[in-house]
Amino acid sequence: MSPDDDKARVRSEARAARRAAFKAIGAASASAIAEHAMQSLGSVNGLVVAGYRASNSEVDVGLLMTALADAGATLALPVVTGANQPLIFRTWCDGDELVEGAYGIDEPCVGSLEVRPDIVLVPLL
C-alpha cells in the first residue's frame, strides 16, 4: 500500500468519524466551541483570524467568527489560487459577497484585501 493509499484511507476514516460526531452533537457544538474559544483566546482585538465556511459535516464556526469580529478581530477566509499552490487569505465580514472558488468553496471576492492571519481555524480532517 502506498503512502497516498494510506492517506486516503485515514481521511476516509476521519470523515466517517466526523460525520458520526456531527450527528451526535450537531449544532450545539457550534455554541460550545464559540464560548470555549473566546475564553481560551483572550484578547483578539487587532488580530487577523482566518476561518472557513462549513460544509457537509464540518463544525460551523459562524458563531465563533461573529464573536471574534465583535471582539475586534479582522476576519478572513481562505482562497485557493491554484492546484498545489499555497492558500492566500482575504478579509471577509458577515454579509460580504462571496464567489464560488475552487472545489465549490465560497471565497471572498478578488477585491478583498489579502492578509496574513495571526490565528487560523481549520475543520481538521
Side-chain angles (χ1 to χ4, degrees):
M1 191 174 278
S2 74
D4 286 341
D5 292 339
D6 286 340
K7 180 179 176 183
R9 180 186 52 76
V10 170
R11 285 178 62 86
S12 178
E13 291 170 0
R15 193 175 286 114
R18 186 174 69 183
R19 268 193 306 274
F22 186 77
K23 286 180 183 177
I25 57 177
S29 63
S31 178
I33 288 170
E35 184 178 327
H36 178 75
M38 292 305 294
Q39 290 173 0
S40 299
L41 288 172
S43 176
V44 295
N45 189 40
L47 297 180
V48 176
V49 180
Y52 61 91
R53 303 279 293 183
S55 65
N56 300 316
S57 61
E58 293 173 346
V59 172
D60 185 355
V61 292
L63 288 174
L64 175 55
M65 298 284 280
T66 297
L68 290 163
D70 290 348
T74 298
L75 302 180
L77 292 175
V79 174
V80 176
T81 59
N84 300 314
Q85 297 298 312
L87 293 174
I88 64 168
F89 296 88
R90 290 194 180 123
T91 57
W92 172 80
C93 293
D94 191 25
D96 284 357
E97 180 184 354
L98 296 171
V99 296
E100 186 175 319
Y103 311 108
I105 298 170
D106 289 339
E107 301 176 344
C109 299
V110 173
S112 298
L113 181 65
E114 188 175 329
V115 292
R116 182 178 178 146
D118 298 295
I119 299 170
V120 179
L121 307 175
V122 295
L124 294 178
L125 182 58

